[in-house]
Amino acid sequence: MDSIYFHDTMQGKKVEFEPRIPNEMSMYVCGLTTSNDSHIGHARTAIVFDVIRRIFRKNGYKVKYISNFTDIDDKIIQKAQEENSTAQEVAERYMHRYIDVIQKMHISEPDMYPKVTDHIPQIIEAVEKLIKNGFAYESSGDVYFRVRKSEEYGKLSKKKLDELISGARILPGEKKEDPLDFALWKEAKPGEPFWESPWGNGRPGWHIECSVMALKYLGNHFDIHGGGQDLIFPHHENEIAQAEGITCAKPFCRYWIHTGWVTLDKVKMSKSIGYVFRIKDALKHYHPNVLRYFFLATLYSSPLEFNVEAIERAGKNVEKIATSLRRFRDVKLKILLKSPLMKGNSWNSFLVYSNEYHYHLRDNFNTPAAFGTIHVTLRELNRVLDDIESLTSTTMKKIESYLEDFFETLGFVDIEDTTFVLDTSDITNALRDVVVSFDIELPDGVLSLDDLVNRLIQKRTEARKNKDFALSDEIRDQLLKHQIVLEDSQGKTTYRLEKQ
RNA sequence: GGCGACAUAGCCAAGUGGUAAGGCAAGGGUCUGCAAAAUCCUCAUCGACGGUUCGAAUCCGUCUGUCGCCUCCA
């Protein structure tokens, strides 16, 4: 089995992945706090870890991938109070909206989405263990983690305790021994949701749930812990301190992978300043395959600027790919009809590309480099398709298996059928008049865009046969005005929708 | 203030010691009734300065610039 290499945040360098259990990979990724609609930054993280899982599977690993929902926290409670509803209602609403939007993006989901509120007993048990082990203390209804007791605190974020002090502070109402300490359990204020505990009614702190759920579902020393870069400190640092305090064993996990953030106007999107672009809004304008290409066209760990130009560029790339694949599909049908199984080895170069492709993915999940290989491969494919005579069904099947593998590994669904205009109702309406203007008779009832365009193509084909190029060009121009591009190739006219 | 990341062509973006992948845009050729698509060709010495090395975009130092973390955040 070929090795997989990637950048581990803890070691601060690219390392060779060595699994806890041979041929198995366990991964925990911090998920959403369900206090609001998810934004494209969440989508990036979900796609990245989806693809990482796919790459491991392609390389023969059995993968277990867990991602949580934090369904109780201050923001959720606050929102519930504002809406005069309950924290549970708010949390479930955004949880369902997230899942809905993730499915629409064709992002394959984790094996499980554990929720904090389903794990309160385990969390309480973990806090008790931390108290017993001397890592935590109760303080009038709250429980805090004793950061200075954790000798290696700061090892992930490369921070030194003394440097943190200036930033640390004690909020009103907190009863900490040390400003660095953080809450494991918070006493409920009047009107807030709560669970009973040995320290009174309250709720879990912000970081303990991930330690508890990761340990519960993946066990100690699991392989990969992932999340956004902004979670490194304090969230992941705290997770390590908690988990290693609970188990009294190191390491909590073997590797850390962090995704870069998505920026708007060069600035990181942030809940606190409300500057976000929601996934559901992105889906109104762009096909999931275009968004997936956009996210994977940059290395997962780099910052990524989200803007219209960048997405349009991704769209152009997907269109280029889709065009080649559609042409491949057409030629394949012809070849299968025409040629018997026989010799054919022009797929050999595709084997070389395939190896190069998977090499890139094993090397720090380098999807941008893999796209580079895809483009080179498709250029070769286009050349091959120009010479139909040399093709055999064996060759076509072989090539097809490589192509399918390429796009499956990156999680594209039916990339050759990607549409670039999501809402065609206006175009369809306008087209009816165009059809009529060319004296084409229409039946009553609703006609699809496809139906209307095909009637125009038919009319134009007749005109071309009669060498009436004026009429032919007029039809083409009229269609172009409505974002429909005609292409004549190999005696057949096809059309595609073009973004405005 | 402390800590850290990044800086590659008009734009986006790989590449971390051996002489710059890929895409978009642009220009030119082939194909086409004309287009489109496709294909071929052209298009950078890697922020600045200094150092290490036979050799550096890649390592070290200084500077400049951008961004981030230190408070909730994927």
Side-chain angles (χ1 to χ4, degrees), chain A residues 354-374:
Chain A
S354 175
N355 288 337
E356 181 183 301
Y357 175 82
H358 285 289
Y359 166 80
H360 285 313
L361 293 181
R362 284 193 307 272
D363 182 18
N364 202 26
F365 318 121
N366 196 333
T367 51
F371 278 139
T373 303
I374 284 180

Side-chain angles (χ1 to χ4, degrees), chain A residues 181-215:
Chain A
D181 296 348
F182 58 89
L184 297 170
W185 187 263
K186 301 171 80 166
E187 185 182 24
K189 297 189 194 87
E192 290 182 345
F194 63 83
W195 289 264
E196 291 176 7
S197 82
W199 319 284
N201 295 336
R203 64 174 184 278
W206 301 309
H207 311 292
I208 188 70
E209 83 274 10
C210 283
S211 303
V212 170
M213 293 190 286
L215 289 172

Side-chain angles (χ1 to χ4, degrees), chain A residues 18-32:
Chain A
E18 293 173 32
R20 173 180 56 174
I21 300 166
N23 303 323
E24 289 185 26
M25 191 277 267
S26 48
M27 177 163 77
Y28 184 93
V29 177
C30 287
L32 196 69

